[in-house]
Amino acid sequence: MSLAEVNKERKALLTAEHLYKEFPVEEGKKKEAVHAVTDVNLSLMEGETLALVGESGCGKSTLGKTLIRLYDSDGGKILFDGTDITHMKEREFAPFRTQMQIIFQDPYASLNPRMNVFQIISEPLRTHHRYSKEELSERVYQLMDEVGIAREFANRYPHQFSGGQRQRIGIARALALNPRLIVCDEPVSALDVSIQSQVLNLLKDLQEAYQLTYLFISHDLSVVKFIADRVCVMFLGMICEIGATEELYENPLHPYTRFLLNAIPLADPALRSEKKTLLQGDIPSPVNPPSGCRFHTRCPYAKDICSRETPPCRTCGDRIVYCHFPLGEERS
Amino acid sequence: MSENVLEIKHLKTQFFTRKGVLPAVDDVSIEIPAGKIVGIVGESGCGKSMTAMSVMGLLRHPGRVVSGEILLCGRDITHLKPRELAKLRGKEMSMIFQEPMTSLNPVTTVGKQVEETILLHESCSREEAKKRVIQIFNEVGIPEAEKRFDSYPHQLSGGLRQRVMIAMAMVCRPKLLIADEPTTALDVTIEAQILELFKRLRDETGTSIILITHNMGVVAEVCDYVYVMYTGQVMEQAETFELFANTCHPYTKGLLRSIPKLSEKVDRLYTIRGVVPNLLHLPEGCNFCTRCDECQKRCLKEQPELYEVKEGHKVRCFLCEKGGA
Ligand SMILES: Nc1ncnc2c1ncn2[C@@H]1O[C@H](COP(=O)(O)OP(=O)(O)OP(=O)(O)O)[C@@H](O)[C@H]1O
Ligand SMILES: Nc1ncnc2c1ncn2[C@@H]1O[C@H](COP(=O)(O)OP(=O)(O)OP(=O)(O)O)[C@@H](O)[C@H]1O
Ligand code: SF4
Ligand SMILES: [Mg+2]
Ligand SMILES: [Mg+2]
């Protein structure tokens, strides 16, 4: 079955429609806002890994947190399993909250240093379930087995573990309430390569065992290639392109996607290219984002219309691209 | 041999901690030829930064160089007095530090900071110094150099700040530039720009560069020679193409296999089992024996040396004792 067919059979677990998120900032007297997420439309299919990629500050973490309502959105709609959760009151939302968890980049900062491993993993269980003492420890030990932390370490504190082990503890905590969706916000970025591969394998195994859906945030396109079924490329708060991983890497349609892929340093000197086409310039400010297509100030293909009009959403098979002049057309 | 800008010979740097003596750099020898980029690659804590700090004479208590030699353009600088070393820093050799934000002064404009570096080492007027700052800003690709002269560090993007750091390091035309993880905090598109800049500096000014990184991709992209470090030791060294084409050490092989590749689709990644050992409790034999797939009885007892498998390609593994693996 091709990925497209698989996707057709799968249902959307989480859908965002015209989602917005802004952060107010004070620039002198003027009240302005960081346009962190602007008019985002996307669906997470049950059981898939959708990667969110893009450069620092483009809004990946903000989008991830807004989708699972750690942030309140400033416009648009979020559907979880068909139910509109955008403005649900806390009591109504509680059963949904347990189904959506998040793992953070920094395994050092995201664990309470004064709690031992047992307390960290059991905390969500205690607030949401009425387990007996035995049931509780049984569940905690089971989770520790699951992520590969030896049971005898239950009484140790975070500082006694390596980065990779701390990330495993964070994963165990996220798994405790049997979530259906996990937002993985740069889960391996702080880890050494040899440890990174261990954690990536673990995430894949867990997904298979529990049919988890991942929103996998990363700026490492090699890692994304390994883990993701589909990729969503963002630039300055807006989506550039969404597509099946292989196809998107093979044949990017948005110019920005192509530049990102070109910039990856490849671990093979034989592939060293003398003249790389590199993107020039810096990322513009999200406070006063460029008009029209937000990428137009850096885009070598930009024409007048690009600074005037926001590119429409174009679809081609299961590919979605927001560009006035997608690369595919130029070639055909 | 006088072709080498820097020669590190059997350097040992140790930290005398309360829990014991920590061998941060253990018998490391590195040669930096003129006009080349040499990569030092390895995982966190393997001694990359401390090797660099030893060269720069910037080790802090309780760390110190306990043996070995450091030759800068043939001159032994291992035992120079702090004041004499300070004269060399910024002029003959300079370093870009791992944390870019902590190495720029937040309350002085970036132009003034680079100007100070010139005035510290050379006698020239302020006007002339400023002219040279603007020139070097242009050279390292800072747009609107004159306007940027008056910017404060926080007003610049991460990429521009890194260019300022490079400008400051390069402004006195040192023979050796040490860049410690210069692109780790940057985005890929900006990283690619900075790497291009290093290549240009090497080709246009003949500066030798030590590039410290944990990213094999960065090594493959720009380095002429590579040293792979693990637990304070050089495990493998070679010319870059040779290292990737004919990888010998089980650790280097493991590192390369752990990285997800763009060119292939795999279901699971290769992993090096276990974790890096504590430097205070290293195994008795080969430092890598606790994680090595090829470990044999002898590896648990004896320490391998660096064996030459080909001219310029050395490997610290018993499998290579009699030449290629
Ligand atoms: N709590 C906040 N208050 C104000 N601005 C914020 C806040 N969180 C994020 N921002 C801004 O919103 C934009 C998007 O930030 P976000 O952290 O989502 O980016 P990101 O893509 O996750 O970046 P990174 O790769 O660096 O993690 C940035 O300009 C950021 O400065
Ligand atoms: N002040 C110190 N006291 C004790 N040990 C130290 C001190 N500074 C560094 N070390 C130890 O020296 C070893 C080498 O550290 P170094 O900073 O060179 O690693 P690195 O390869 O640069 O790692 P990273 O990739 O994390 O920067 C580490 O094991 C570290 O714990
Ligand atoms: S010496 Fe032995 S343990 Fe060390 S890397 Fe070689 S085979 Fe592995
Ligand atoms: Mg983020
Ligand atoms: Mg370091």
Side-chain angles (χ1 to χ4, degrees), chain B residues 7 43-44 53 72 118 136 140 153 194 207 237 244-245 287 304 306 313:
Chain B
E7 286 179 28
E43 297 182 281
S44 188
M53 295 304 238
L72 183 68
I118 303 176
I136 191 90
V140 300
I194 298 286
T207 312
Q237 66 186 71
F244 282 84
N287 280 3
L306 272 172
H313 187 168

Side-chain angles (χ1 to χ4, degrees), chain A residues 239-255:
Chain A
I239 292 178
C240 297
E241 182 166 11
I242 307 179
T245 309
E246 298 273 323
E247 290 159 31
L248 184 129
Y249 277 58
E250 235 357 80
N251 183 21
L253 295 184
H254 198 288

Side-chain angles (χ1 to χ4, degrees), chain A residues 2 4 19 29 56 62 64 68 140-141 216 255-256 264 271 294 300 303 315:
Chain A
S2 82
L19 200 65
K29 288 244 162 57
S56 185
T62 305
I68 61 171
V140 171
Y141 287 131
F216 191 93
Y256 180 60
I264 309 171
L271 300 176
R294 290 188 178 176
K303 304 215 166 70
T315 53

Side-chain angles (χ1 to χ4, degrees), chain B residues 44-45 47-50 98-99 180-181 212:
Chain B
S44 188
K48 304 182 296 293
S49 296
M50 291 311 132
Q98 202 164 348
E99 297 93 23
D180 194 353
E181 306 266 7
I212 296 176

